[in-house]
Amino acid sequence: MSQLSDLSDALGAQCYGGWWYRNTTGSFGFIAATQTAIYRLQSDGSWTDISKVGGYTGPDAGDLWQAERFGADFYVTNLNDALQVMDLDTGTIMADAPGSPPRAKFIETVGDFLFLAYLKVGADVFPQDWQHCKINDPTNWTVTGLAGDSDRQQIPDGDEIVSIMSNTGGARIIQRRCKRRLIFTPGNTYSFQMQDIDGARGAVAPLCVVPFGGEAYLYVNETGIYVGDEHRSIGAERVDKWFFQQIDLDKLGEVQGIADPAQKIVWILFTDQSGQKKMFGWQWVLDRFVPPSDAAPILLVSAVSIGAVLDDLDSYGTLDAIDIPLDSRQFKGGRITFGAFTAANKLALFAGAPAAATVETSSTELTPDTGSFVSGARLKSDASDYTMQVGAAQVADGSLTWSSANTRNSRTGLVPFRSDAKFHRFRVNIAAGSEWDHLHGVSPEFQESGAG
């Protein structure tokens, strides 16, 4: 994984939502929100406040702002403020959306309709309600019962709505205990009909329902991490046990996920029991999990590179000081990529130099039933700038005693050790900035303890 490289100045407060866009003239940009304000990113990395006059109450604790594009208009919503809208081509400030739409936690464009879900009208909250605008008219939210007009429905079971996703021919509505499909039925009194997908299993983390191509999506259930309508487990016997041991269960609903289209990885960000942020990923093409990262962003975002030419590089410092490879996606305008807001409230892309990496083997008996004297080990990798340690213990549940970090012999490639124990584990430390592509394992040199 690459290190985070700052793309912006700091927002005035913690970020509660960030979204890239492309307007009708082909220009790319980025909009972000703190709890009580909305900002637009300028080409020099500064932020312009585009909030409506008076600002906002903002999302409830554990929630984020949500946003969607409909034509040239950009909509932003949370449960406590009126739906906001701004024309991306000509607008300079957000405003309350016309037509008196309900307040909503979730928003999605589904064909020619703008959908709102998990609604609030006055002081009353309707967690299982959704409503769409009149066909191709997000300024009209009057429910008439006529074909093509706005419609509102309440789902009688399945608990609260946690996500709505557009798909071919309609949408999916994911609830805490259920998954349903909305099917577009033009000409009927109701423009969309509901059909059960899974009547017993849904998602518990609204911010971690992640579409990643076609009809596929990842989500977190009380029992693990799953993919798709079929509730296919991808975490069982792999990461589920570790995940639920690590996470602060009181913040299970705040787990966030996002798809990195470049690496084809869904990244999952959560808060552990010590209050620290942790992040790991799942590579959907290879069906492999990516080990946890100590990069600790506050919020993951789908981002787009604004683009830069050589004359623009002055804003990043001198050429020697720039830690971003010049062929990075960050400098190629319009490339959808993967970013985050850091603890310093800055938008950053994972586009810097390679981060440091630590990889460990499992503990093993190299010589069963006796013990082993380890004299060295070789790394099966194309990494060059690394050190290696060996951990030793006399019983399977004993604490490991780690050696110092040793370097390899430049001629033989062997990292020397002197370790006599029943169980051994190897740790590889790859330096930050080191370019490498693969690491297959460690090949130890050893003999049975006491052998002459």
Side-chain angles (χ1 to χ4, degrees), residues 226-388:
Y226 296 87
V227 165
D229 293 345
E230 69 276 18
H231 199 67
R232 177 171 67 89
S233 175
I234 59 171
E237 305 301 328
R238 300 166 83 181
V239 300
D240 283 351
K241 183 178 180 180
W242 169 85
F243 176 64
F244 285 106
Q245 287 175 339
Q246 292 284 317
I247 191 172
D248 179 349
L249 291 175
D250 290 336
K251 296 186 177 181
L252 182 60
E254 299 177 25
V255 177
Q256 190 196 356
I258 199 163
D260 174 4
Q263 302 297 326
K264 297 179 176 60
I265 296 173
V266 175
W267 291 100
I268 298 173
L269 179 69
F270 68 95
T271 304
D272 69 13
Q273 295 176 17
S274 69
Q276 299 298 308
K277 294 287 188 179
K278 287 188 177 179
M279 186 172 72
F280 67 101
W282 175 65
Q283 217 281 358
W284 65 77
V285 174
L286 301 177
D287 188 20
R288 292 179 181 174
F289 278 92
V290 180
S293 169
D294 59 3
I298 298 299
L299 179 73
L300 301 179
V301 294
S302 177
V304 64
S305 53
I306 305 301
V309 297
L310 289 176
D311 289 343
D312 297 325
L313 297 184
D314 289 344
S315 62
Y316 295 87
T318 64
L319 190 60
D320 288 339
I322 298 174
D323 62 353
I324 308 169
L326 295 183
D327 62 351
S328 167
R329 296 170 68 91
Q330 177 164 334
F331 297 129
K332 299 175 182 178
R335 297 294 182 91
I336 300 173
T337 185
F338 165 52
F341 277 86
T342 67
N345 300 322
K346 293 183 178 182
L347 174 61
L349 300 182
F350 289 87
T358 301
V359 183
E360 289 186 11
T361 68
S362 59
S363 296
T364 186
E365 291 182 275
L366 295 171
T367 306
D369 302 323
T370 56
S372 304
F373 176 78
V374 176
S375 58
R378 291 181 174 85
L379 182 65
K380 296 180 178 181
S381 172
D382 63 345
S384 58
D385 189 3
Y386 65 89
T387 61
M388 195 183 302

Side-chain angles (χ1 to χ4, degrees), residues 49-393:
D49 191 336
I50 58 172
S51 306
K52 75 170 184 178
V53 176
Y56 307 102
T57 300
D60 292 329
D63 289 340
L64 297 177
W65 288 86
Q66 303 291 325
E68 187 59 288
R69 172 84 174 268
F70 193 97
D73 291 329
F74 187 77
Y75 289 86
V76 189
T77 188
N78 77 80
L79 200 60
N80 296 317
D81 293 286
L83 179 65
Q84 297 295 289
V85 64
M86 185 182 73
D87 188 301
L88 290 174
D89 294 333
T90 61
T92 59
I93 190 169
M94 304 295 295
D96 291 354
S100 300
R103 284 169 283 170
K105 187 178 287 192
F106 305 110
I107 185 169
E108 181 80 355
T109 296
V110 179
D112 292 326
F113 299 87
L114 186 64
F115 266 76
L116 300 173
Y118 198 123
L119 307 181
K120 186 175 183 180
V121 179
D124 297 323
V125 178
F126 302 91
Q128 294 169 229
D129 281 29
W130 57 263
Q131 184 172 348
H132 63 71
C133 69
K134 183 176 181 178
I135 187 168
N136 207 29
D137 184 4
T139 68
N140 188 327
W141 295 85
T142 302
V143 178
T144 66
L146 300 176
D149 276 2
S150 176
D151 182 34
R152 175 174 169 176
Q153 292 193 35
Q154 182 177 80
I155 306 173
D157 61 357
D159 288 349
E160 76 270 23
I161 296 170
V162 300
S163 180
I164 178 169
M165 300 179 292
S166 177
N167 65 271
T168 303
R172 285 184 182 84
I173 286 188
I174 310 299
Q175 298 170 252
R176 179 173 290 270
R177 305 292 179 189
C178 186
K179 298 191 288 288
R180 287 184 161 94
R181 183 180 290 109
L182 294 180
I183 303 171
F184 181 45
T185 54
N188 288 358
T189 300
Y190 300 106
S191 296
F192 291 86
Q193 294 184 351
M194 285 191 295
Q195 180 185 81
D196 284 354
I197 296 173
D198 189 327
R201 299 170 298 190
V204 296
L207 306 177
C208 196
V209 180
V210 187
F212 57 86
E215 302 289 289
Y217 58 99
L218 175 146
Y219 58 98
V220 176
N221 182 269
E222 299 99 328
T223 60
I225 302 172
Y226 296 87
V227 165
D229 293 345
E230 69 276 18
H231 199 67
R232 177 171 67 89
S233 175
I234 59 171
E237 305 301 328
R238 300 166 83 181
V239 300
D240 283 351
K241 183 178 180 180
W242 169 85
F243 176 64
F244 285 106
Q245 287 175 339
Q246 292 284 317
I247 191 172
D248 179 349
L249 291 175
D250 290 336
K251 296 186 177 181
L252 182 60
E254 299 177 25
V255 177
Q256 190 196 356
I258 199 163
D260 174 4
Q263 302 297 326
K264 297 179 176 60
I265 296 173
V266 175
W267 291 100
I268 298 173
L269 179 69
F270 68 95
T271 304
D272 69 13
Q273 295 176 17
S274 69
Q276 299 298 308
K277 294 287 188 179
K278 287 188 177 179
M279 186 172 72
F280 67 101
W282 175 65
Q283 217 281 358
W284 65 77
V285 174
L286 301 177
D287 188 20
R288 292 179 181 174
F289 278 92
V290 180
S293 169
D294 59 3
I298 298 299
L299 179 73
L300 301 179
V301 294
S302 177
V304 64
S305 53
I306 305 301
V309 297
L310 289 176
D311 289 343
D312 297 325
L313 297 184
D314 289 344
S315 62
Y316 295 87
T318 64
L319 190 60
D320 288 339
I322 298 174
D323 62 353
I324 308 169
L326 295 183
D327 62 351
S328 167
R329 296 170 68 91
Q330 177 164 334
F331 297 129
K332 299 175 182 178
R335 297 294 182 91
I336 300 173
T337 185
F338 165 52
F341 277 86
T342 67
N345 300 322
K346 293 183 178 182
L347 174 61
L349 300 182
F350 289 87
T358 301
V359 183
E360 289 186 11
T361 68
S362 59
S363 296
T364 186
E365 291 182 275
L366 295 171
T367 306
D369 302 323
T370 56
S372 304
F373 176 78
V374 176
S375 58
R378 291 181 174 85
L379 182 65
K380 296 180 178 181
S381 172
D382 63 345
S384 58
D385 189 3
Y386 65 89
T387 61
M388 195 183 302
Q389 298 169 261
V390 63

